Amino acid sequence: FKVVKVEKKEVRRRPPPPFSTSTLQQAASQKMGFAAERTMRIAQSLYEGVDLGGTDPAGLITYMRTDSFSIAKTAAVECAEFVKTTYGAHYVPAEPPTYQTKSKGAQEAHEAIRPTDASVKPTAKNIDDQSERKLYDLIWSRFLASQMPQAEFYATQTDIESGKYTFRANGNVLKFDGFLKIWQQKFEENQLPELTASEKLTVKEFLPAQHFTEPAPRYTE
């Protein structure tokens, strides 16, 4: 097996915006199987306050009923400082990213759903309830990712020759992970190693598979 051709195209991917009510419900359903009602009940608890060892319960997130993607400037600055300290200055963009909702008649009186203090990690020992911890982790990760730089990678098409047959692999070669440092999405599924023309490859395993067109999934709530 030998690589005969590698075609690359540099691509950038923007981070997703912080959560609004509807996108939080969708993500909690997709990633954790939470029903919308359960998501909002847990979010209400996070908003009202969790005992972190102080004199009063600490509200961990901003108000959870909102259509807005806007973020307070002070929150953006605090988040940038936390990201710089935790992950390095190259994970802080020159200007804080901004996002606009596409919904007509959106209720934008409140900010997007975000942690009230980015430095309170989901691993905080006082967040005992596992459902609260999972949802807070989702909100915290999404907010941090929304304030980080774009991911950079090469969309790559590789042709591999063996005898009279040619095999084609399509995928991504990561250049800079950017917001993917926090918010992985589905990038890993199509990751390819760095390959060069004329490079010889060794077969590790054959995985025969057949794909049939499937109908679109039924709508959930």
Side-chain angles (χ1 to χ4, degrees):
F1 288 79
K2 186 174 75 173
V3 178
V4 291
K5 186 171 70 172
V6 179
E7 292 182 355
K8 291 182 178 181
K9 179 182 178 183
E10 192 167 339
V11 178
R12 293 171 181 262
R13 182 183 296 169
R14 288 196 72 196
F19 283 129
S20 64
T21 301
S22 61
T23 57
L24 174 63
Q25 291 172 348
Q26 290 164 26
S29 173
Q30 293 163 2
K31 292 179 177 291
M32 299 178 293
F34 287 2
E37 182 182 356
R38 182 183 180 189
T39 297
M40 298 311 292
R41 187 172 63 249
I42 298 167
Q44 181 78 35
S45 297
L46 293 172
Y47 171 70
E48 290 177 353
V50 174
D51 184 3
L52 294 179
T55 55
D56 296 306
L60 293 183
I61 64 170
T62 55
Y63 193 56
M64 63 286 162
R65 297 193 181 277
T66 176
D67 294 329
S68 176
F69 292 143
S70 64
I71 293 295
K73 289 183 179 179
T74 52
V77 170
E78 289 171 1
C79 181
E81 282 299 316
F82 177 76
V83 170
K84 181 179 179 181
T85 303
T86 309
Y87 303 105
H90 53 297
Y91 284 103
V92 178
E95 294 290 333
T98 57
Y99 306 90
Q100 290 185 333
T101 180
K102 297 178 182 178
S103 304
K104 292 183 179 180
Q107 300 296 315
E108 297 195 67
H110 300 280
E111 289 183 73
I113 304 170
R114 64 167 178 83
T116 52
D117 183 353
S119 66
V120 178
K121 298 181 180 180
T123 52
K125 62 182 180 180
N126 298 74
I127 309 177
D128 295 323
D129 186 282
Q130 289 304 308
S131 295
E132 288 181 354
R133 186 186 294 274
K134 286 179 180 178
L135 193 67
Y136 180 68
D137 188 8
L138 193 68
I139 294 168
W140 182 86
S141 302
R142 177 76 163 231
F143 172 62
L144 256 65
S146 75
Q147 301 302 299
M148 294 172 76
Q150 297 181 7
E152 301 174 15
F153 55 93
Y154 297 106
T156 306
Q157 178 177 287
T158 305
D159 287 353
I160 300 164
E161 202 173 71
S162 178
K164 64 180 181 179
Y165 298 104
T166 301
F167 302 88
R168 175 164 290 171
N170 294 305
N172 303 311
V173 177
L174 189 63
K175 180 182 177 184
F176 172 58
D177 54 359
F179 76 92
L180 293 173
K181 183 83 172 175
I182 296 285
W183 192 258
Q184 289 294 327
Q185 293 187 321
K186 292 185 177 180
F187 183 83
E188 307 95 328
E189 293 177 10
N190 298 318
Q191 255 192 287
L192 290 177
E194 187 74 51
L195 296 170
T196 56
S198 301
E199 183 177 349
K200 291 184 178 180
L201 305 177
T202 302
V203 174
K204 286 187 174 181
E205 187 178 7
F206 284 106
L207 299 171
Q210 187 173 8
H211 176 75
F212 295 95
T213 302
E214 298 174 352
R218 293 181 180 274
Y219 287 108
T220 65
E221 61 178 331

